[in-house]
Amino acid sequence: MAKHQTPLLDQLETGPWPSFVSDIKQEAAHRAANPDGVDYQIPVDCPSDLLGVLELSFKDKETHWKHGGIVGVFGYGGGVIGRYCDQPEMFPGVAHFHTVRLAQPSGKYYTADYLRGIMDIWDLRGSGLTNMHGSTGDIVLLGTTTPQLEEIFFDVTHKMNTDLGGSGGNLRTPADCLGQSRCEFACYDTQDLCHTLTNDYQDELHRPAFPYKFKFKFDGCPNGCVASIARSDFSVIGTWKSDIRIDQDRVKAYVAGEFKPGGGSHAGRDWGKFDIVKEVVDRCPTGCMSYDGAKLSIDNANCTRCMHCINTMPAAVKIGEETGASILLGAKAPILDGAQMSSLLVPFVVVEKPYDEIKEVIENIWDWWMEEGKNRERVGETMKRLSFQKLLEVTNIKAMPQHVKEPRSNPYIFFKEEEVPGGFEHDEAAYRQRHMR
């Protein structure tokens, strides 16, 4: 019999999708049936009491978790999120329920042995409950007690060669798509860049010194499989400079029905007879494509890299050969000033080891943000408050048309003295000489 009655939570199991409630119940039943299981180092009732406190929160319409304060492992300022229940007498199994974040491997590639090793540690020293993965990307281990934190840290670092992820006002664990390991659209090696910057910026990851969190995410192409443009302060999105490559014979094969659109998968959609004008040409957001019945043409100067034509006909239309990435800055969730997407900062950069050009942009941004950012202000909010022009100045990037978000609403342009050849006095004297008799 269940330790706590959970009629409200039970409703979450009635829908068509798998429920986290079922997962917690499964772990609670396992521990109840094997109370001495693996010599548990935290209360056996932890999963059961987690269900109980969540049911109470639903009933009371308020949380029963309180802020965890400062809790972590020696020498690290991040990686552990403290969590305590405000009803410890009623739910002793979750009086402590700290979350531990582990850095995920680039591309989230695992071996079965690795996952078993992590789970063995967590079954022994935690609740057995995990998130795979958190929104940042970490392996999230949900629920342990303060005395177990150093033990967990020792085990994951020494046995699994794995480090803690980021939390607090620091660099969060960088995340990337599968990149060139699996994807023909990838314009650069996302895994290598992600792994390199994770290693190079360990101090920024584990010892909080920023006004607030800072996230790297690396998308190999504009499809954005890790949604970096919406979910990261610093987005690196693969792109290309040269023309899109077109195999006209294969275009004809798509039109004739010899190739299935969408990469061979209908993805739940019945395309019917493929209409290239309807499905590709007319869907181009800039209208830069045309098809005359025999040849597909693209005005590459007006292509915005939306990827639709490439996704629809991947055998016939491919990314250009001169590849690199765009760097964007400032995406965030709606905490202080509303949600915002990242803004284009560097239209094109070649992504090659040792990535010095990218690191220079990163470090210039950090120097400025740490000096000018307010407490708990994301870099996108600092950028919005102090202007995109200021960001261009501190990163030594010249303004260009790609930076324009919308037409000017103010007709006045103010120059700085150093921007006027000879200075303001020289300019005024020249004006008087030209216009005053």
Side-chain angles (χ1 to χ4, degrees):
M1 181 176 178
K3 182 179 178 182
H4 302 285
Q5 298 301 307
T6 57
L8 297 176
L9 290 185
D10 294 346
Q11 294 179 37
L12 298 179
E13 298 181 278
T14 60
W17 307 108
S19 172
F20 72 95
V21 174
S22 301
D23 294 338
I24 300 173
K25 286 182 177 180
Q26 182 179 350
E27 183 64 24
H30 171 73
R31 295 206 172 199
N34 301 276
D36 301 321
V38 288
D39 193 21
Y40 302 118
Q41 297 298 299
I42 72 168
V44 173
D45 288 339
C46 177
S48 296
D49 281 351
L50 177 62
L51 291 167
V53 72
L54 185 57
E55 178 74 16
L56 183 64
S57 295
F58 277 30
K59 180 181 178 181
D60 294 346
K61 296 182 173 61
E62 64 178 13
T63 183
H64 286 287
W65 299 108
K66 58 184 180 179
H67 189 272
I70 304 301
V71 63
V73 300
F74 184 73
Y76 278 28
V80 178
I81 298 94
R83 199 70 79 229
Y84 297 93
C85 177
D86 68 2
Q87 302 292 327
E89 295 83 9
M90 191 182 303
F91 306 107
V94 291
H96 297 199
F97 198 75
H98 308 317
T99 290
V100 179
R101 288 179 177 166
L102 302 184
Q104 80 281 1
S106 293
K108 300 186 179 74
Y109 281 108
Y110 301 101
T111 64
D113 286 343
Y114 176 86
L115 290 175
R116 288 191 188 98
I118 293 292
M119 294 305 103
D120 286 346
I121 293 169
W122 195 237
D123 278 340
L124 174 65
R125 304 193 180 280
S127 68
L129 302 170
T130 70
N131 280 343
M132 298 292 281
H133 301 78
S135 59
T136 294
D138 297 292
I139 306 168
V140 178
L141 307 180
L142 292 163
T144 191
T145 60
T146 304
Q148 291 303 310
L149 293 174
E150 290 290 349
E151 306 292 341
I152 293 165
F153 180 59
F154 183 90
D155 284 350
V156 297
T157 54
H158 288 72
K159 296 179 181 178
M160 306 307 303
N161 195 29
T162 297
D163 210 339
L164 298 190
S167 68
N170 62 2
L171 174 65
R172 297 302 179 83
T173 316
D176 64 312
C177 69
L178 294 171
Q180 293 174 336
S181 67
R182 292 287 300 276
C183 181
E184 64 179 309
F185 302 154
C187 299
Y188 70 96
D189 190 340
T190 57
Q191 289 179 263
D192 188 66
L193 179 57
C194 182
H195 183 71
T196 299
L197 296 187
T198 301
N199 288 337
D200 289 355
Y201 292 125
Q202 282 294 295
D203 200 54
E204 287 76 14
L205 209 159
H206 291 306
R207 294 168 182 85
F210 295 159
Y212 202 18
K213 67 183 79 169
F214 192 97
K215 298 180 180 180
F216 290 148
K217 292 195 189 298
F218 307 97
D219 276 314
C221 78
N223 277 325
C225 291
V226 292
S228 65
I229 196 170
R231 301 172 58 237
S232 66
D233 301 88
F234 191 91
S235 319
V236 183
I237 303 176
T239 187
W240 61 90
K241 264 189 174 182
S242 50
D243 292 350
I244 292 176
R245 292 171 287 165
I246 305 174
D247 186 325
Q248 298 293 348
D249 290 336
R250 291 190 172 190
V251 170
K252 294 175 184 176
Y254 274 105
V255 173
E258 297 172 25
F259 287 128
K260 291 182 179 179
S265 170
H266 281 63
R269 175 187 175 189
D270 182 7
W271 289 77
K273 178 174 171 52
F274 182 61
D275 185 337
I276 190 172
V277 174
K278 177 183 175 182
E279 300 290 355
V280 178
V281 174
D282 289 349
R283 291 180 182 270
C284 177
T286 61
C288 74
M289 305 184 72
S290 62
Y291 183 68
D292 63 5
K295 181 181 179 182
L296 179 68
S297 300
I298 300 176
D299 176 9
N300 282 273
N302 285 307
C303 173
T304 57
R305 315 295 195 268
C306 78
M307 296 293 292
H308 176 69
C309 61
I310 297 173
N311 292 334
T312 305
M313 302 189 299
V317 185
K318 298 183 181 298
I319 63 174
E321 292 184 326
E322 188 180 356
T323 59
S326 297
I327 297 175
L328 298 89
L329 192 75
K332 68 176 192 67
I335 298 175
L336 294 180
D337 195 30
Q340 64 188 49
M341 304 278 269
S342 54
S343 300
L344 181 66
L345 181 61
V346 181
F348 187 85
V349 61
V350 176
V351 185
E352 293 179 348
K353 278 183 173 291
Y355 309 120
D356 288 339
E357 194 171 350
I358 296 174
K359 291 178 185 177
E360 182 180 1
V361 176
I362 292 168
E363 291 165 18
N364 285 336
I365 291 168
W366 283 348
D367 289 344
W368 170 65
W369 181 47
M370 286 192 287
E371 183 70 27
E372 300 289 348
K374 297 179 179 180
N375 186 40
R376 293 181 69 82
E377 181 178 62
R378 297 285 285 270
V379 69
E381 291 160 339
T382 305
M383 178 182 74
K384 192 173 181 179
R385 177 170 59 88
L386 297 180
S387 81
F388 193 81
Q389 180 181 348
K390 186 63 179 178
L391 175 66
L392 295 178
E393 291 175 10
V394 299
T395 53
N396 300 313
I397 296 172
K398 291 184 178 181
M400 56 190 76
Q402 291 94 329
H403 291 143
V404 176
K405 181 181 180 182
E406 59 189 22
R408 291 179 60 84
S409 56
N410 186 326
Y412 298 101
I413 300 174
F414 297 94
F415 292 97
K416 297 180 180 179
E417 185 163 4
E418 61 269 20
E419 295 174 338
V420 178
F424 287 148
E425 292 182 4
H426 175 272
D427 194 52
E428 183 179 357
Y431 178 85
R432 288 179 180 274
Q433 186 176 7
R434 286 196 305 269
H435 298 284
M436 295 184 178
R437 301 297 182 185

